[in-house]
Each structure stands twice: as C-alpha cells, then as structure tokens.
C-alpha cells in the first residue's frame, strides 16, 4: 500500500513549491528524454530504401579495404580508410560544400543502354591529398602547416593528382563484382566545380563519406553517386535475379538435346547363380554353367541397377539381340509396376 501523507506534510510541500525550493514534478518518476527523429520532406521523398543503402555501404566497405592496401603500397605508409556515412541527399547539398579551389574527378560507369550518363564524382580534401603527393615525391607527408584554405594545385601536382586518382578508380571494379558486372573508367579532372553543373541541383544522389588517416595527416574522401546511375544498377540486378529464378525455355530445350544424345548402359541379365571359388578357378573356354532356366526364358534389362524391361534372347542381323516384351516403370511409392496395369 502506498504511503499516505499527513496534512502538515502536504502543507510543507506546497510551501516549498511556492518558494521554488522544490520542483512540483519532482515526485514523479524521471521520464526518459524523447528521441528526436528528422522530419521527412514529402516534397523531395527518398528515392532509395534503407536496404539499398546498406548494400551500397557494403560495396564501399569492400572498396576501402582494397584501396587501403593499394595506398599502403604506393605511399609506403600506413593508411587507414573507413566508411563513416552513406546518405541520400540532393546534389545541391554536395555542391554547396565545394569551393572554387576544390578539385573533382569525374568517373564514368560501363553500364549499357542507360542513355546519357551523369558522372560519378570523387572529392578528396586538399590536406590529405597534398600529403599523399608529398609521400609519392619522397617527402614525409607532414604538410598540414603549408596547406591552407587558399591552397591551389600546381600543374605538376594536378598531374600527380590525376595519376593517383586513376589508381583509386581502378580499385572500384572489384568492389561491385559480387553484385553486378560493372566497370568504371577515369574521365577527367575538373579544377573549378562551381562553374560546371555536372548533375541537376535537385537530383537525388548518394554520398559516401570515407575518413582517411595516416600517421602524419588526415582528411575526408567523398564519393557522389548519381541517383540515375544507382537506379540503372538496381534495375539490372533485379532483371538478372528474375532471369535466374525463371527457367529459360531455350535452356530447357538445350538440356533436353544433351539428354537425348547421352548414352546409358543397358545390362541384359539372364539369371543369377552361385559357384564355389574352386569351380571358378577351374573354368575354361567352352565350359557350360547351368543357370537352371530354359534357353528361351526371359531376360532382365537393367538401367542404372533398376529393372526397366523384360525381353527374350534372339538374333538380329547375325548379332545377338534382346527383344523387349514387357516394360516396367517406377511408381510414386518406389515399386516396379507393369506399365499396362498403370494405364
């Protein structure tokens, strides 16, 4: 039974509440803070489901593992990469974060029958890119103090940038091979992305955020996948999956052709008998083994150790032959029945 307060206790609590010495709701159990959810924008609904984004995340987790090994070999430095975000956004959210001095790499996919394609965009923050180029030129890569917001790549650095990004794009094919047969090729480097509209501002894109860390520097690697490209990828995956589920009539005909042309051994069995080992040892050419059956008794024809036919010994074109007199088939219960009886 709950405790009952006296009138004096109630008056003391009311006075304390009026004076601000106690919270009027302090007697209630502490309520957990309500979890906040982002508002859904019905004017620009999401194009890809959560499962699709999980698949994309899995693809790029494989990609960063391959890319990490390649960068370690190229830079002779431990380079850790980790996918920290996979989000669907509008392209303007990605482009607004770019400055005039940023550099974008344009990549094309090799999917067929997709019409005019929008490029895949690669962007790496300036600090980590200059650090990697410094390592490629024999430095220690510690250039954070020399790289500011106004840093601009030289022509030689842009050439190194291009070579490094070509190598990074080459790793992308292997990440998708478990899902779809698709390739990617390096297109060009765009040195001022703010002057070029590569994708419609309101087009849906998926942004993959990758954290890049070395012993002397860190930065961010972003990949922008156009929504049209992902839609084509998912459509082709659905077609391939459905074609695998549905039997192809042409394949069935081809399989039947192979089966018709295949050979099966048929064993004609006259009868069984038992001989001692000494009798078998003394057998010679011309000896006769008594089977206990007349010469015109039926012959069993076995296919795969199963009795399929009964026949009679005879001669056809001066060759020994067996004429089929009765046919057996395998019933659903696994017993041999006469075909005539089943009909």
């Amino acid at each position: 039974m709950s405790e009952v307060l006296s009138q004096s206790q109630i008056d003391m609590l009311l006075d304390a509440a009026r004076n601000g010495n106690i919270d009027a709701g302090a007697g209630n159990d502490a309520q957990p803070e309500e979890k906040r959810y982002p508002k859904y924008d019905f004017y620009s609904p999401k194009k890809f489901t959560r499962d699709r984004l999980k698949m994309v995340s899995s693809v790029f987790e494989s990609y960063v593992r391959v890319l990490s090994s390649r960068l370690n070999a190229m830079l002779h430095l431990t380079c850790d990469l980790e996918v920290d975000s996979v989000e669907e956004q509008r392209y303007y959210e990605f482009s607004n974060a770019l400055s005039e001095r940023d550099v974008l790499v344009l990549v094309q996919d090799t999917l067929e029958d997709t019409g005019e394609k929008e490029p895949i965009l690669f962007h790496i923050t300036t600090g980590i890119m200059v650090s990697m180029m410094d390592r490629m030129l024999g430095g220690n890569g510690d250039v954070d103090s020399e790289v500011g917001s106004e840093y601009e790549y030289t022509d030689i650095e842009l050439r190194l940038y291009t070579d490094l990004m070509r190598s990074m794009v080459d790793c992308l094919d292997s990440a998708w091979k478990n899902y779809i047969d698709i390739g990617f090729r390096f297109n060009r480097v765009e040195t001022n992305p703010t002057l070029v509209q590569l994708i419609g501002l309101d087009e849906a894109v998926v942004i993959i955020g990758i954290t890049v860390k070395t012993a002397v520097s860190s930065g961010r690697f972003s990949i922008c996948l156009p929504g049209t490209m992902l839609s084509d990828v998912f459509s082709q995956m659905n077609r391939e999956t459905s074609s695998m589920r549905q039997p192809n009539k042409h394949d069935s005909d081809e399989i039947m052709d192979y089966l018709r042309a295949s050979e099966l051994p048929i064993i004609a069995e006259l009868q069984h008998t038992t001989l001692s080992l000494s009798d078998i040892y003394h057998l010679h050419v011309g000896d006769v083994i008594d089977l206990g059956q007349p010469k015109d008794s039926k012959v069993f024809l076995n296919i795969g150790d199963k009795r399929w036919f009964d026949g009679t010994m005879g001669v056809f074109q001066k060759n020994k032959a067996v004429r089929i007199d009765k046919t057996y088939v395998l019933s659903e219960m696994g017993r041999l029945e006469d075909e005539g009886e089943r009909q």
Side-chain angles (χ1 to χ4, degrees), residues 276-296:
S276 63
L277 183 59
S278 60
D279 292 337
I280 296 175
Y281 180 77
H282 292 95
L283 284 176
H284 299 284
V285 176
D287 290 347
V288 176
I289 299 176
D290 184 11
L291 298 178
Q293 295 288 337
K295 65 178 182 178
D296 56 350

Side-chain angles (χ1 to χ4, degrees), residues 176-244:
W176 288 87
K177 65 181 180 180
N178 292 331
Y179 298 93
I180 189 174
D181 185 13
I182 184 175
F184 300 90
R185 66 176 185 273
F186 179 91
N187 188 354
R188 73 176 192 272
V189 171
E190 187 62 50
T191 56
N192 193 349
T194 60
L195 299 180
V196 181
Q197 184 174 339
L198 303 170
I199 303 175
L201 293 178
D202 289 327
E203 290 293 327
V205 295
V206 173
I207 310 298
I208 295 91
I210 301 172
T211 302
V212 184
K213 294 181 180 179
T214 65
V216 294
S217 183
S218 63
R220 189 169 180 81
F221 178 22
S222 300
I223 302 175
C224 177
L225 301 178
T228 53
M229 173 260 182
L230 285 178
S231 297
D232 294 334
V233 167
F234 294 141
S235 297
Q236 183 165 331
M237 290 174 61
N238 291 335
R239 288 196 299 269
E240 292 178 357
T241 303
S242 60
S243 63
M244 292 173 61

Side-chain angles (χ1 to χ4, degrees), residues 8-190:
S8 61
Q9 292 174 323
I10 294 174
D11 293 339
M12 291 175 60
L13 287 174
L14 291 175
D15 291 338
R18 292 192 193 99
N19 297 330
N21 297 329
I22 187 173
D23 186 3
N28 299 330
D29 294 334
Q31 298 295 328
E33 184 179 354
E34 183 179 358
K35 187 176 181 180
R36 297 180 179 273
Y37 295 93
K39 294 182 179 180
Y40 187 82
D41 187 0
F42 288 93
Y43 291 100
S44 56
K46 298 298 183 182
K47 191 172 183 179
F48 304 108
T49 62
R50 186 175 300 177
D51 291 337
R52 294 297 193 189
L53 294 181
K54 284 183 179 179
M55 193 211 79
V56 174
S57 178
S58 176
V59 168
F60 282 92
E61 285 174 359
S62 300
Y63 172 64
V64 297
R65 286 194 293 269
V66 176
L67 182 57
S68 178
S69 300
R70 177 164 294 193
L71 290 178
N72 291 342
M74 292 177 60
L75 306 178
H76 301 285
L77 182 71
T78 302
C79 187
D80 295 327
L81 288 86
E82 181 180 1
V83 177
D84 58 13
S85 64
V86 177
E87 298 179 355
E88 180 182 345
Q89 299 178 0
R90 299 295 163 177
Y91 177 68
Y92 67 82
E93 299 179 59
F94 176 77
S95 63
N96 288 346
L98 302 176
S99 66
E100 294 182 357
R101 301 185 185 277
D102 282 328
V103 175
L104 286 182
V105 173
L106 279 60
V107 179
Q108 294 289 350
D109 63 85
T110 59
L111 280 178
E112 299 179 354
D113 302 328
T114 56
E116 187 176 354
K117 301 177 182 178
E118 296 174 333
I120 302 169
L121 306 178
F122 282 35
H123 173 257
I124 300 183
T125 53
T126 305
I128 188 64
M129 176 54 73
V130 174
S131 176
M132 289 191 290
M133 290 190 292
D134 186 64
R135 286 290 303 180
M136 292 175 66
L137 295 175
N140 59 7
D142 188 7
V143 294
D144 286 344
S145 59
E146 304 173 9
V147 179
S149 59
E150 299 298 323
Y151 187 88
E152 186 173 357
Y153 292 102
T154 64
D155 292 341
I156 295 177
E157 288 175 337
L158 285 176
R159 182 54 189 252
L160 289 173
Y161 192 108
T162 301
D163 293 342
L164 183 58
M165 293 306 300
R166 284 183 185 273
S167 180
M168 296 174 74
V169 171
D170 291 341
C171 299
L172 195 55
D173 296 358
S174 60
W176 288 87
K177 65 181 180 180
N178 292 331
Y179 298 93
I180 189 174
D181 185 13
I182 184 175
F184 300 90
R185 66 176 185 273
F186 179 91
N187 188 354
R188 73 176 192 272
V189 171
E190 187 62 50

